[in-house]
Amino acid sequence: MRMGKPFFSLQTIMTLLVCGVVALSLAVTDILISQEVADNTQKNLANKAKNIARIVAHSPLVIEALNGQRADTEIQPFANEIRQITSVEFVVVMDMKGTRKSHPDINKVGQPFVGGDEGEALKGQEYFSYAKGTLGMSLRAFTPIVTSTGKQVGAVAVGILLNDVNQAVAQSRQIIYISIGFGLLVGVIGALFLARKIKKVMFGLEPREIAKMLEERSAMLESVREGILAIDNDSRITLSNAAALRLFNRAGILGDLVGKKITDCVPNTRMLHVLETGNAELDQELDLFGITLVTNVIPLCVNGKSVGAIATFRDKTEIKQMAEELTSVLLYAEALRSQAHEFMNKLHVILGMVHMKYYDQLSTYISRIAHQHQSEIGFITRHIKDPVLAGFILGKMSYAREVGAELVLFEECFLPEPADPEVIHEIVTVFGNLVDNALEAVVDCPFKRIEVNFSYDEGVLSIEVRDTGPGINDELKSQIFTKGYSTKGPNRGLGLYLVKHSLEKLNGKIEILSEEGQGTQFKVSLPYKSKDEME
């Protein structure tokens, strides 16, 4: 899994995380305390305003002035004096019509009260409110003014601007902000120390790098088809992938291997020898309770010190099958390439005749090659009933013409459709390698001809491939089926070995008839079940 590169390193992330937790904790504390401080501050200021309003409301001077017993102009100096002594924003006395009798701004005296929240006070209610007046938003305490006889003659409003309230709250928060700053500083220092310590333990790797390495390691181990097994210096298994478990299960070794002694699972292992000597052992065969494995064992070293050994292994049978299948694919590919090459050569001839305007000759040429192609296809499809082998034979015939040879099928040849289609894969391997061997044999001969025959009789299929080559002497006959043996140079000698291997799988036999200078004939016979007979 591909992981995107993060914006921050481990050290930065831990610093931010710790600081974030500290900041969040202090922020929550700040919110709770600030709210408590704000509530208490506002409550105290409101009570202060209420008490001042009550004092003014019970002042004989104010009551008498509003009741007409003295001049109402005496209210303004009195109210201003109270305002200055108590440090409130305003002390406004109003009559029953809401007309101001006092105000910090003398020009506002005699004008109606502003704010719209004085109605309940003129009805005898005492309360607090927030409203916008001529001096701005303010916290107001209203108290009715009542004579000794119980008659209400007005009301008094004492106000404190909200800016002053907020300023008082802000001053109370300063200590909290200092605590937050100190806490963040301690958090940063602690986070940096912790991050550096952790990164040192993790060899300087970031968590994303460790996670990426672990994911890639697990994915690689589980995706390969080879079994992988690792042991430590105590010869205990420390790692095994899924392929290893499958092979061990087939051998009857069940359960999890990690933690077990390697000798308890593989008594004849060479891993202990590699662990002792420090020398790798490559491409060795190992018998695991009836399963032959091809193994590679390599010592594990860290900083020049041996810490264990690791082995990779695979079933030898699977490797042989893969080699055989690859050879068959190459045979198919070569046959198709030959057909394509022959077709292109004919197209070039047609293109040249068109350019030269030989239209009559062109018509004759096309008719001839079409007739030849149809005749060839018709003959093969009538006598070879399996389409895979039929197409393969056509390809080999094209390849023979390409190298200047002639590949001919007998008139009486016949191959019925098989009951088991898998048999054709082995027949293609046998036939393809025999034909290739014959074509190589006639390459230097003046007369290059290969004759092929398929015959089927009562459950037995016979294949004959005859060439006009120089022949094979008796000494070579006993060696040509050996893997790697060839008279044509190095890195050869695989074709006839695969022929022999495929015939062993099919319980077939092969016979060689050859004399020097007289050509060679290969006769193959093998059990073959026809689809028609099975039905």
Side-chain angles (χ1 to χ4, degrees):
M1 180 183 86
R2 187 178 180 87
M3 300 180 66
K5 185 176 180 180
F7 291 106
F8 305 110
S9 64
L10 172 64
Q11 185 169 303
T12 304
I13 291 174
M14 293 192 67
T15 301
L16 292 175
L17 180 61
V18 173
C19 292
V21 171
V22 173
L24 180 62
S25 302
L26 294 176
V28 171
T29 304
D30 172 45
I31 293 172
L32 297 176
I33 294 177
S34 296
Q35 189 61 44
E36 182 75 17
V37 170
D39 290 344
N40 289 335
T41 302
Q42 291 181 7
K43 184 177 180 181
N44 292 335
L45 291 175
N47 289 332
K48 174 183 175 181
K50 182 178 69 172
N51 292 332
I52 295 171
R54 286 179 176 177
I55 291 172
V56 174
H58 287 81
S59 171
L61 185 150
V62 173
I63 295 174
E64 291 175 1
L66 289 177
N67 199 25
Q69 295 175 352
R70 65 169 65 190
D72 56 12
T73 57
E74 297 182 25
I75 297 177
Q76 172 70 6
F78 175 75
N80 280 341
E81 185 180 0
I82 296 296
R83 177 178 65 81
Q84 293 173 359
I85 294 173
T86 57
S87 299
V88 295
E89 192 64 30
F90 61 83
V91 176
V92 176
V93 177
M94 69 190 83
D95 59 17
M96 293 301 292
K97 295 180 180 180
T99 302
R100 298 179 182 132
K101 300 300 181 180
S102 66
H103 193 274
D105 184 357
I106 194 169
N107 295 322
K108 299 292 191 301
V109 176
Q111 296 181 8
F113 187 83
V114 177
D117 54 342
E118 73 280 5
E120 295 301 320
L122 296 176
K123 295 179 181 179
Q125 298 295 323
E126 185 179 63
Y127 57 93
F128 301 103
S129 73
Y130 293 90
K132 184 175 183 181
T134 56
L135 299 177
M137 288 294 298
S138 58
L139 167 64
R140 303 177 176 191
F142 289 91
T143 300
I145 301 173
V146 183
T147 65
S148 58
T149 59
K151 176 185 175 183
Q152 183 175 357
V153 293
V156 61
V158 176
I160 301 174
L161 289 181
L162 288 184
N163 289 338
D164 296 336
V165 176
N166 294 335
Q167 185 177 1
V169 174
Q171 290 175 350
S172 301
R173 286 180 173 174
Q174 287 182 356
I175 188 63
I176 300 175
Y177 295 150
I178 294 173
S179 300
I180 291 176
F182 181 75
L184 287 175
L185 179 62
V186 173
V188 169
I189 296 173
L192 290 173
F193 176 78
L194 180 62
R196 288 179 181 176
K197 186 68 175 178
I198 292 177
K199 196 164 185 178
K200 183 178 179 181
V201 172
M202 298 190 300
F203 300 100
L205 294 174
E206 294 287 337
R208 63 177 182 84
E209 294 173 329
I210 297 174
K212 184 172 181 289
M213 289 175 60
L214 180 61
E215 290 178 352
E216 290 177 349
R217 172 181 173 273
S218 299
M220 287 188 290
L221 287 175
E222 300 305 326
S223 63
V224 297
R225 296 186 63 182
E226 286 77 12
I228 300 176
L229 208 65
I231 62 172
D232 58 18
N233 282 330
D234 294 328
S235 73
R236 292 193 177 276
I237 298 173
T238 58
L239 180 147
S240 63
N241 68 344
L245 292 177
R246 285 195 297 269
L247 285 172
F248 276 68
N249 288 341
R250 284 172 51 192
I253 303 172
L254 306 178
D256 189 11
L257 303 178
V258 176
K260 295 182 179 179
K261 285 278 189 180
I262 185 64
T263 50
D264 295 339
C265 303
V266 190
N268 56 341
T269 181
R270 298 287 297 173
M271 295 185 74
L272 295 181
H273 179 73
V274 171
L275 196 62
E276 293 173 1
T277 63
N279 299 322
E281 295 189 0
L282 307 177
D283 299 323
Q284 301 295 313
E285 291 191 7
L286 171 70
D287 180 70
L288 183 66
F289 301 107
I291 300 176
T292 302
L293 304 177
V294 177
T295 68
N296 295 286
V297 185
I298 301 173
L300 293 176
C301 297
V302 176
N303 297 325
K305 183 179 179 182
S306 176
V307 296
I310 186 168
T312 61
F313 47 89
R314 191 167 181 181
D315 191 342
K316 184 179 179 180
T317 304
E318 293 180 358
I319 298 176
K320 291 172 62 178
Q321 289 177 348
M322 183 171 61
E324 293 167 4
E325 290 174 3
L326 179 59
T327 302
S328 298
V329 170
L330 292 175
L331 292 174
Y332 281 121
E334 182 60 28
L336 292 173
R337 189 202 64 79
S338 300
Q339 282 189 309
H341 187 268
E342 183 182 28
F343 179 68
M344 289 301 299
N345 287 338
K346 292 175 180 178
L347 283 181
H348 290 152
V349 173
I350 293 172
L351 181 61
M353 297 179 73
V354 169
H355 282 308
M356 299 175 68
K357 300 184 179 180
Y358 293 160
Y359 298 126
D360 293 338
Q361 295 89 332
L362 176 61
S363 177
T364 302
Y365 176 74
I366 293 175
S367 298
R368 179 168 57 81
I369 61 176
H371 175 74
Q372 177 185 350
H373 188 64
Q374 292 297 328
S375 176
E376 198 173 75
I377 292 176
F379 176 82
I380 292 177
T381 54
R382 286 194 303 272
H383 292 80
I384 307 298
K385 296 303 181 181
D386 183 80
V388 174
L389 184 58
F392 186 69
I393 292 173
L394 280 172
K396 284 298 179 184
M397 294 177 74
S398 298
Y399 177 68
R401 283 193 291 271
E402 182 182 349
V403 298
E406 183 182 13
L407 180 62
V408 181
L409 268 70
F410 284 20
E411 285 290 335
E412 66 273 13
C413 75
F414 179 72
L415 175 72
E417 187 176 0
D420 181 10
E422 295 296 325
V423 175
I424 293 299
H425 166 72
E426 303 297 340
I427 293 177
V428 165
T429 300
V430 172
F431 172 75
N433 282 291
L434 290 179
V435 170
D436 286 345
N437 192 71
L439 288 171
E440 290 181 354
V442 302
V443 67
D444 295 325
C445 297
F447 182 58
K448 302 177 178 64
R449 180 181 175 89
I450 295 98
E451 296 177 342
V452 175
N453 187 34
F454 290 87
S455 61
Y456 175 74
D457 183 32
E458 296 182 355
V460 177
L461 174 65
S462 299
I463 305 173
E464 296 181 23
V465 178
R466 182 185 308 161
D467 64 59
T468 58
I472 304 173
N473 59 42
D474 292 338
E475 182 181 353
L476 291 179
K477 287 179 184 178
S478 61
Q479 302 182 59
I480 58 176
F481 293 104
T482 303
K483 182 179 180 181
Y485 179 81
S486 176
T487 60
K488 303 179 182 68
N491 300 321
R492 303 293 297 273
L494 186 62
L496 291 179
Y497 166 77
L498 292 174
V499 169
K500 179 184 177 183
H501 188 268
S502 293
L503 289 176
E504 288 175 353
K505 292 175 65 175
L506 298 174
N507 295 319
K509 298 181 295 182
I510 187 169
E511 180 183 2
I512 305 174
L513 303 176
S514 180
E515 295 183 8
E516 291 192 40
Q518 300 298 320
T520 302
Q521 180 181 8
F522 288 90
K523 288 186 174 182
V524 174
S525 61
L526 53 92
Y528 187 87
K529 294 182 179 180
S530 170
K531 184 177 181 181
D532 294 336
E533 291 180 355
M534 294 297 294
E535 292 176 351

